[in-house]
Amino acid sequence: MRRATALPKPPAGQALPETHVWLTLRTLFPYLWQYRLRVLAAMACLISAKVANVGVPLVFKEMIDGLSGGEQLLALPILLLILYGTLRFSTSLFQELREILFARVTQRAVRQVSLEVFRHLHALSLRFHLERQTGGVSRDIERGSRSISSLISYTLYSILPTLVEIGLVLGILFVKYDMGYVVITLVSLLAYVVFTIKVSNWRIDIRRAVNENDSAANTRAVDSLLNYETVKYFNNEAWEARRYDEQLIKWEEAATRSQTTLAFLNLGQQAIIALGVTAMMWRAASGVVDGRMTIGDLVLVNAFLIQLYMPLNFLGIVYREIRQALTDIERMFKLLSENREIADAPDARDLPTGPLQVNFDAVEFAYESNRQILKNLSFAIPPGKTVAVVGHSGAGKSTLSRLLYRFYDVTGGAVQINGHDLRSLKQTSLRAAIGIVPQDTVLFNDTIFYNINYGRPEASREEVFAAARAAQLHDFIESLPLKYETRVGERGLKLSGGEKQRVAIARALLKNPPILIFDEATSALDSATERAIQTQLEEVAIGHTTLVIAHRLSTVMNADEILVMSEGRIVERGSHGALLAADGNYARMWTLQQQEKQEMESDTQ
């Protein structure tokens, strides 16, 4: 005899803490209460629809009893027929009115909660965004937003009318017949609810496993596609497919277990309903045989059983969906609970207008406690002056711009603007006063115009064109078929490195802030373009407080002061001429770069 295959056994079930339920409701309630009149009107429609729905079997019973006499045609109650049709229509009418009234409430709540999560993600520190995985976060938001809609719909929109209908049916059975019908119905309902809750809680870990593996697979897919060129460079398509499939196999196993245990849940629910229906019909049939009930009563009980069957079955679906929705929302709420590492102080103030001086005062900084980046760093950038920072990779140069933008807070000392510690200023005010051309320019998957205009969205088209001309970009754009409406592709991949860099320069020029940061701003440009843009950047920097972070020393020769960094410290400082005369680190770097330049020029001849 062949043994039956056992159901896959999930891990021990663990119900979500009640705090998650109340957290969800507390989060959603303010958004729902904005439309309190719509909510109350929708609730009234819900109750009216259920009252009309319960009234249909009562009218039908009277019609059956009326037709059971000797002169059926003469006794046919025309008014009952009209009432029957009216109640049928009223049920649908009130349901659709409920949909109309509640639709905006649900969608507005989803929109506002999603917006809150989106804003919170932008408010989190750079550290969080460097460590996150884009694919997993995007899937968590997508699934969580969809589940909020389901949660609102099921908890505030479906459970209440279902309970109202069950209450009405139980009341009618008790008043018109006897307590036995109520007991059978209540026992069936209680058994159904207990079974559904127990099995659904048993399945909760399987659902979590499905979500975890789904997010992990999506993360791998997005990460691989974002690095499409790298995959091609190393001929690793098969390797990426295997890695993706490894995660899909785990998802497949979890999803199969979820579907199998769902079938077990559905089978148990139907068995309970079948037993309850059989018991009720046996009692009703006995009443008809004994003469205590009419044929209409039998039909009424049967109709009530059918109407109870649907709410009972629906309650099971509702509970499963709520549990699944809470599992999905749990991950999204974790994003909302992420601590904002960098936050404005309660008494934070706006940055004063006028000429700005930047001071790094004995600054200490470490990304990790065991990895010190900056060590007792002090220097000043006077208003309208240009200070350049040079040094080998890993010296801590780019960290200066991140601290000035306050993506991180210093671990020692202070960064100040006009004597105000950055931690005492509003971040929006601070960042509005700074423009940057970063070393690694990433563009939005939109048009060239959009990406330049992003520097100051309220700027006119003429101002965007002027910024493009200043960045030596306008002629190139005009040579394109779609000109400024040309789309740049994902992360700007349709443009060359130099073209992307010029878009970034144009964007910073359009913003025209009092403080400018050029972080390897011309690193991706050829020598001819670099010289042209370098001249323009020097002109733009006039009157601005400017920090230039550079590797090529030829781009910082005209800076008012040059700082040479090594291992997080300033080891030399002075003008270009003074540093060459000192014959130290800067002079050696200059000599080496000049030799490399001469070798490249000789190779091209």
Side-chain angles (χ1 to χ4, degrees):
M1 182 177 177
R2 185 178 178 182
R3 294 182 59 187
T5 303
L7 286 174
K9 185 178 181 181
Q14 179 182 355
L16 288 175
E18 288 299 316
T19 51
H20 285 285
V21 178
W22 292 113
L23 175 62
T24 301
L25 295 178
R26 285 199 304 270
T27 303
L28 296 177
F29 182 77
Y31 306 116
L32 298 176
W33 198 239
Q34 293 178 16
Y35 292 88
R36 59 182 68 90
L37 294 180
R38 280 179 176 265
V39 172
L40 294 175
M43 292 299 107
C45 288
L46 284 168
I47 295 172
S48 299
K50 293 307 176 183
V51 170
N53 200 38
V54 169
V56 169
L58 291 172
V59 175
F60 194 57
K61 170 208 177 312
E62 298 299 328
M63 290 172 57
I64 293 296
D65 287 341
L67 291 170
S68 299
E71 299 179 359
Q72 293 91 341
L73 293 177
L74 295 177
L76 182 63
I78 301 299
L79 290 177
L80 288 177
L81 277 174
I82 295 173
L83 182 58
Y84 178 85
T86 302
L87 289 174
R88 282 285 187 190
F89 176 74
S90 297
T91 300
S92 299
L93 174 65
F94 286 120
Q95 285 177 347
E96 297 308 320
L97 285 175
R98 172 194 65 188
E99 295 280 353
I100 293 171
L101 289 168
F102 215 74
R104 181 170 294 279
V105 180
T106 302
Q107 304 310 323
R108 178 61 59 86
V110 172
R111 169 195 160 198
Q112 292 187 335
V113 173
S114 299
L115 182 61
E116 183 180 344
V117 174
F118 181 78
R119 284 177 168 164
H120 183 73
L121 288 173
H122 274 293
L124 294 177
S125 69
L126 180 62
R127 191 189 310 275
F128 169 83
H129 287 280
L130 291 177
E131 294 175 353
R132 68 172 167 80
Q133 293 179 305
T134 305
V137 171
S138 64
R139 182 60 64 90
D140 290 342
I141 296 174
E142 174 193 350
R143 207 163 41 218
S145 300
R146 187 172 61 245
S147 295
I148 286 175
S149 179
S150 299
L151 189 64
I152 294 174
S153 176
Y154 287 127
T155 56
L156 302 178
Y157 180 51
S158 300
I159 288 180
L160 178 60
T162 300
L163 295 177
V164 168
E165 184 168 9
I166 291 174
L168 289 172
V169 170
L170 291 175
I172 293 170
L173 289 175
F174 177 73
V175 171
K176 289 185 67 67
Y177 304 109
D178 60 59
M179 194 62 186
Y181 293 95
V182 177
V183 170
I184 293 173
T185 304
L186 283 176
V187 169
S188 299
L189 177 60
L190 183 62
Y192 186 94
V193 170
V194 170
F195 176 79
T196 300
I197 291 175
K198 292 291 185 182
V199 176
S200 296
N201 286 341
W202 176 61
R203 297 181 63 249
I204 197 69
D205 284 333
I206 299 178
R207 177 66 182 181
R208 280 202 183 104
V210 172
N211 288 347
E212 293 286 348
N213 287 293
D214 181 43
S215 293
N218 188 63
T219 296
R220 285 193 178 180
V222 170
D223 191 45
S224 180
L225 292 174
L226 287 176
N227 292 281
Y228 169 84
E229 290 185 62
T230 305
V231 174
K232 290 293 183 181
Y233 290 153
F234 295 96
N235 199 31
N236 274 342
E237 295 90 341
W239 166 259
E240 291 295 325
R242 282 196 301 272
R243 290 182 70 245
Y244 183 47
D245 192 41
E246 285 173 4
Q247 203 62 54
L248 286 179
I249 289 172
K250 295 178 182 177
W251 169 83
E252 178 188 352
E253 290 298 322
T256 302
R257 291 166 64 189
S258 178
Q259 195 66 33
T260 305
T261 52
L262 178 59
F264 170 72
L265 174 60
N266 290 335
L267 187 62
Q269 290 170 337
Q270 298 308 312
I272 294 172
I273 290 173
L275 289 172
V277 168
T278 302
M280 286 281 281
M281 290 307 295
W282 172 80
R283 188 173 183 85
S286 298
V288 173
V289 171
D290 295 340
R292 291 179 289 105
M293 297 175 63
T294 65
I295 298 297
D297 290 321
L298 180 64
V299 172
L300 176 64
V301 171
N302 183 66
F304 276 159
L305 289 176
I306 293 173
Q307 289 190 189
L308 275 182
Y309 168 82
M310 294 303 295
L312 277 174
N313 189 51
F314 192 63
L315 275 177
I317 295 173
V318 166
Y319 182 78
R320 292 199 303 269
E321 290 297 326
I322 288 176
R323 298 303 297 180
Q324 292 173 2
L326 285 171
T327 303
D328 294 338
I329 294 172
E330 181 182 12
R331 290 182 64 89
M332 190 169 73
F333 278 159
K334 283 183 179 178
L335 296 176
L336 277 176
S337 66
E338 285 285 344
N339 183 44
R340 292 178 60 178
E341 182 181 342
I342 307 299
D344 287 340
D347 58 346
R349 53 188 180 276
D350 289 328
L351 183 65
T353 58
L356 301 178
Q357 172 163 320
V358 175
N359 287 84
F360 281 71
D361 184 13
V363 168
E364 303 271 345
F365 179 73
Y367 291 106
E368 305 293 341
S369 58
N370 58 353
R371 183 190 170 206
Q372 190 76 9
I373 302 298
L374 300 180
K375 306 165 185 174
N376 195 31
L377 192 75
S378 297
F379 68 91
I381 311 176
K385 300 296 183 181
T386 298
V387 171
V389 180
V390 299
H392 297 293
S393 297
K397 305 187 300 297
S398 293
T399 300
L400 301 179
S401 64
R402 291 178 171 181
L403 293 178
L404 189 53
Y405 260 101
R406 207 188 164 203
F407 289 156
Y408 300 94
D409 278 336
V410 297
T411 53
V415 181
Q416 301 172 334
I417 296 181
N418 282 7
H420 300 286
D421 192 312
L422 298 191
R423 290 166 289 195
S424 69
L425 300 173
K426 292 181 179 178
Q427 295 177 67
T428 53
S429 172
L430 168 67
R431 291 165 188 164
I434 306 174
I436 186 170
V437 180
Q439 180 178 1
D440 182 21
T441 300
V442 178
L443 304 181
F444 292 96
N445 188 4
D446 210 299
T447 64
I448 294 177
F449 181 89
Y450 176 86
N451 277 282
I452 297 176
N453 188 231
Y454 199 80
R456 185 157 51 90
E458 67 276 11
S460 66
R461 293 188 68 86
E462 289 70 24
E463 289 175 310
V464 172
F465 298 158
R469 288 190 183 95
Q472 306 294 315
L473 188 62
H474 181 74
D475 292 341
F476 161 74
I477 297 174
E478 287 296 316
S479 69
L480 299 173
L482 297 180
K483 303 185 182 335
Y484 279 85
E485 297 307 309
T486 302
R487 300 189 73 87
V488 302
E490 188 83 31
R491 297 183 298 134
L493 291 178
K494 290 184 179 180
L495 301 181
S496 70
E499 291 159 357
K500 287 198 296 183
Q501 203 77 343
R502 282 183 280 173
V503 169
I505 293 171
R507 188 161 57 190
L509 296 179
L510 181 65
K511 185 177 182 181
N512 192 30
I515 299 175
L516 288 172
I517 301 174
F518 299 131
D519 187 355
E520 303 280 6
T522 60
S523 62
L525 305 179
D526 58 79
S527 298
T529 306
E530 180 188 42
R531 284 193 293 272
I533 292 182
Q534 185 61 39
T535 302
Q536 185 64 47
L537 291 179
E538 290 176 358
E539 293 178 1
V540 170
I542 295 175
H544 293 79
T545 304
T546 307
L547 173 65
V548 179
I549 299 168
H551 176 71
R552 296 181 190 175
L553 303 186
S554 58
T555 63
V556 300
M557 293 169 51
N558 297 325
D560 295 294
E561 184 179 29
I562 301 172
L563 310 177
V564 182
M565 287 188 64
S566 177
E567 297 181 354
R569 302 180 187 275
I570 297 175
V571 294
E572 293 180 10
R573 61 199 314 162
S575 65
H576 174 70
L579 290 173
L580 288 180
D583 197 25
N585 290 344
Y586 183 87
R588 286 192 293 273
M589 291 168 61
W590 174 264
T591 301
L592 181 61
Q593 290 188 14
Q594 291 302 305
Q595 290 175 350
E596 292 175 349
K597 181 180 178 181
Q598 292 173 1
E599 291 174 0
M600 291 178 63
E601 290 176 352
S602 63
D603 290 340
T604 56
Q605 292 177 353

